[in-house]
Amino acid sequence: MSVRSRGRSSRHVVDCDLELRPLMNVFIVLIPMLLMSAVFMEIRVIEMSAPQAAATASTQPEQPALHLALHVRGDSYVLTGTGIPAAEFGRDAAARTGRLDAATSARLTEALARIVAAHPEDHEIRIVAESRTRYQEIVTLMDLARNAGLSDAALEGSMEDA
Amino acid sequence: MRIRRDRSGRRRRFSGRVHAPSGLSLTSLMDILTCLLFFVLKSFVAGGESTVPPPGLTLPSSTADHAQTTSLVVAVQKDAIYVSGERIASVSEVLGEDGMVIGPLAQRAEAARDQMDQLAVQRGGKPVESRLVTIQGDSDIEFRVLRKVMYTLDQSGFPDIALAVLKKA
């Protein structure tokens, strides 16, 4: 916007536009700097309890009635609990790559969901991992348990490793 | 030929009346830059620099949805263990030891615990009873490393453990 004033003797133009160029310069420096230092990863956390030493497992206080546990074995997962028959699931892909395949994930989720439906008061599960079990596999198993309704997962080392 | 003469004549006639703005209009560009600046500022991780995993560490992906809070951060890479960005032990050394407690990690965790307690007392409160530690573990580390780290932290006064993960899209 410019205001043009016309006097009888003089004629001058007053420029009322904001001087934005210095601010622009600051922004142009600031934005790449912020973009370079920004972190766009969405980091979340899984809150949990520390693993119990296998040797001291028998001295732990009273456990919930179901004692649900998912054991990671060499080539299989074994789901155990008080009053439920042990169920075994293949672990070929995860043993090789550390990542569960979709079919095993679906079967495990289904089995866990059935147990949760039968015992809605229990939300605890122990994931009993082997020494060489990969961290990603453990996190995936915890995800499956949580998605099935078992929100309180604890990690434990297997007896063979103790 | 005739068309061209007509156009040039029209241009001459209008040239006296139309005044094109001489300066560059920066207002719309400023609007874009302002929006961009606020977006970038909002995208910053609130927890500070120590919550960002060190380079080379790939966090496991998960469907967990708990936001992280400020805490002591222990990063477990494939080859070394870091506390608040400082390397304290190598994984091979840790695996070579027989016991479950990692000595240097225990020392650092106890120092951090004492510091937290002192800060709490200086602020007029009691020493903190429940202390949280966040473990940033590489997705490929083995459970035997993670178990030692978790056990050491538990023994050093950090019973509450949060495992940092990348949220699945």
Side-chain angles (χ1 to χ4, degrees):
Chain A
M1 187 180 78
S2 68
V3 175
R4 179 169 292 191
S5 68
R6 286 170 190 252
R8 187 172 284 183
S9 57
S10 66
R11 180 187 164 203
H12 66 277
V13 175
V14 179
D15 191 0
C16 292
D17 278 346
L18 280 173
E19 187 57 66
L20 294 174
R21 281 181 199 183
L23 193 59
M24 279 275 301
N25 293 338
V26 172
F27 273 25
I28 285 170
V29 172
L30 205 58
I31 287 171
M33 194 190 81
L34 288 171
L35 281 172
M36 278 191 289
S37 57
V39 176
F40 294 100
M41 289 183 297
E42 216 172 342
I43 298 174
R44 292 285 182 265
V45 293
I46 302 172
E47 288 173 359
M48 59 169 308
S49 50
Q52 307 295 325
T56 59
S58 58
T59 62
Q60 289 303 306
E62 194 181 343
Q63 294 284 318
L66 192 56
H67 298 277
L68 190 62
L70 180 59
H71 298 262
V72 182
R73 302 261 167 86
D75 54 356
S76 64
Y77 300 108
V78 182
L79 193 58
T80 61
T82 310
I84 56 168
E88 198 167 331
F89 305 88
R91 189 185 163 241
D92 293 339
R96 282 197 311 274
T97 62
R99 266 99 177 142
L100 271 78
D101 58 295
T104 310
S105 299
R107 285 195 300 134
L108 268 170
T109 308
E110 193 187 331
L112 290 169
R114 255 188 280 122
I115 292 168
V116 170
H119 302 85
E121 71 284 356
D122 279 302
H123 298 286
E124 294 187 10
I125 184 167
R126 289 177 298 124
I127 292 168
V128 187
E130 287 186 319
S131 293
R132 305 249 173 204
T133 309
R134 301 277 170 189
Y135 184 33
Q136 176 65 68
E137 189 179 354
I138 293 167
V139 169
T140 308
L141 292 173
M142 291 169 93
D143 283 352
L144 293 180
R146 193 174 47 255
N147 293 341
L150 297 160
S151 53
D152 195 1
L155 269 178
E156 198 174 299
S158 67
M159 292 291 257
E160 288 80 9
D161 299 328
Chain B
M1 215 36 196
R2 184 177 174 79
I3 293 168
R4 192 176 294 167
R5 204 179 305 137
D6 282 354
R7 275 187 188 161
S8 63
R10 207 179 299 151
R11 212 175 287 149
R12 266 199 304 275
R13 266 181 273 137
F14 279 101
S15 64
R17 280 182 266 159
V18 179
H19 297 281
S22 56
L24 190 66
S25 177
L26 298 175
T27 314
S28 47
L29 189 57
M30 278 296 297
D31 291 346
I32 294 167
L33 287 176
T34 308
C35 289
L36 199 59
L37 184 69
F38 280 109
F39 168 75
V40 172
L41 283 172
K42 199 176 170 294
S43 311
F44 262 102
V45 176
E49 200 180 326
S50 63
T51 57
V52 179
L57 190 149
T58 312
L59 291 175
S61 54
S62 167
T63 55
D65 207 24
H66 270 279
Q68 61 177 353
T69 51
T70 308
S71 64
L72 178 72
V73 177
V74 177
V76 186
Q77 295 225 34
K78 286 175 202 165
D79 58 343
I81 298 171
Y82 297 79
V83 175
S84 300
E86 185 191 337
R87 183 188 165 114
I88 56 153
S90 73
V91 169
S92 55
E93 283 169 12
V94 168
L95 292 175
E97 289 173 9
D98 289 334
M100 283 290 283
V101 175
I102 303 166
L105 177 60
Q107 283 173 10
R108 280 301 305 265
E110 282 162 12
R113 183 195 63 194
D114 295 343
Q115 204 177 2
M116 280 180 187
D117 287 348
Q118 278 176 7
L119 276 172
V121 170
Q122 279 172 6
R123 286 176 186 163
K126 292 177 183 174
V128 188
E129 286 177 7
S130 179
R131 301 174 198 85
L132 179 70
V133 61
T134 303
I135 297 177
Q136 296 176 337
D138 191 280
S139 60
D140 278 337
I141 60 168
E142 294 174 345
F143 178 64
R144 54 184 176 157
V145 182
L146 187 68
R147 185 174 53 176
K148 280 192 172 187
V149 170
M150 291 175 83
Y151 183 80
T152 305
L153 292 169
D154 184 40
Q155 295 296 306
S156 307
F158 289 88
D160 296 331
I161 293 172
L163 303 175
V165 291
L166 274 185
K167 193 182 175 188
K168 273 183 190 168

